[in-house]
Amino acid sequence: MQKNLNFEKLITDFNKGFSSGSQAKFARKMGVTPQLVNSWVKGKNIPSPENMEKLSKIFNKSQKEIQKIFSQDFENENKNFDDVLKYKEKIKLLEERIKILEERNKFLEEQLNFYKENFKK
């Protein structure tokens, strides 16, 4: 999971630039646990619609702006996940090709050995 630096910056700005204890202070303002705020910062969770509404009021931003702050990280993460799936598929195809080439090589070696044994002069 990728850290949500945009949200972390909002919290720090909210606390007038002080980051020490900022998540706990912000959590009290929101009426949620510091662990929940921390999970938002770490990108593990996104706020519920009710919390999105609270965030938009606290930060004086539209709900779309707040949603964008959280959706960017998940979009990036999903893109990375899609990339991983593509690479896994490519690896699988390459492994299949290797297997085919190994089988062809084995067949050719057997043919070569057959010709060597049967057509000795």
Side-chain angles (χ1 to χ4, degrees):
M1 304 269 167
Q2 190 173 9
K3 195 171 187 180
N4 191 329
L5 298 174
N6 295 326
F7 181 61
E8 187 173 45
K9 183 179 179 336
L10 282 177
I11 293 174
T12 304
D13 291 346
F14 172 80
N15 288 299
K16 298 173 183 37
F18 296 102
S19 59
S20 178
S22 61
Q23 289 182 18
K25 182 178 177 185
F26 184 75
R28 283 193 296 278
K29 175 77 173 171
M30 284 282 299
V32 297
T33 65
Q35 292 83 2
L36 183 58
V37 172
N38 186 266
S39 74
W40 297 341
V41 170
K42 287 186 175 180
K44 291 182 179 179
N45 293 309
I46 59 172
S48 66
E50 298 83 23
N51 285 328
M52 288 277 193
E53 188 176 334
K54 287 180 186 178
L55 290 167
S56 72
K57 288 177 183 174
I58 289 171
F59 294 124
N60 197 26
K61 295 187 179 291
S62 71
Q63 286 192 12
K64 281 192 175 199
E65 288 175 298
I66 297 297
Q67 288 172 342
K68 188 175 179 183
I69 289 169
F70 289 96
S71 66
Q72 286 174 341
D73 289 331
F74 279 92
E75 285 171 11
N76 289 339
E77 186 175 308
N78 287 336
K79 184 179 179 219
N80 291 340
F81 182 72
D82 289 343
D83 288 345
V84 167
L85 288 178
K86 286 178 189 174
Y87 287 122
K88 283 186 175 183
E89 291 224 359
K90 286 181 181 179
I91 289 170
K92 186 176 179 181
L93 287 173
L94 289 172
E95 287 172 341
E96 289 174 4
R97 287 181 184 168
I98 289 170
K99 187 175 179 180
I100 290 169
L101 290 173
E102 287 173 341
E103 288 173 0
R104 283 184 187 167
N105 189 39
K106 183 178 177 184
F107 173 76
L108 290 172
E109 285 178 355
E110 289 172 355
Q111 277 190 322
L112 182 62
N113 287 335
F114 173 80
Y115 285 115
K116 282 181 179 178
E117 290 177 12
N118 293 308
F119 297 103
K120 289 182 184 179
K121 287 188 176 183

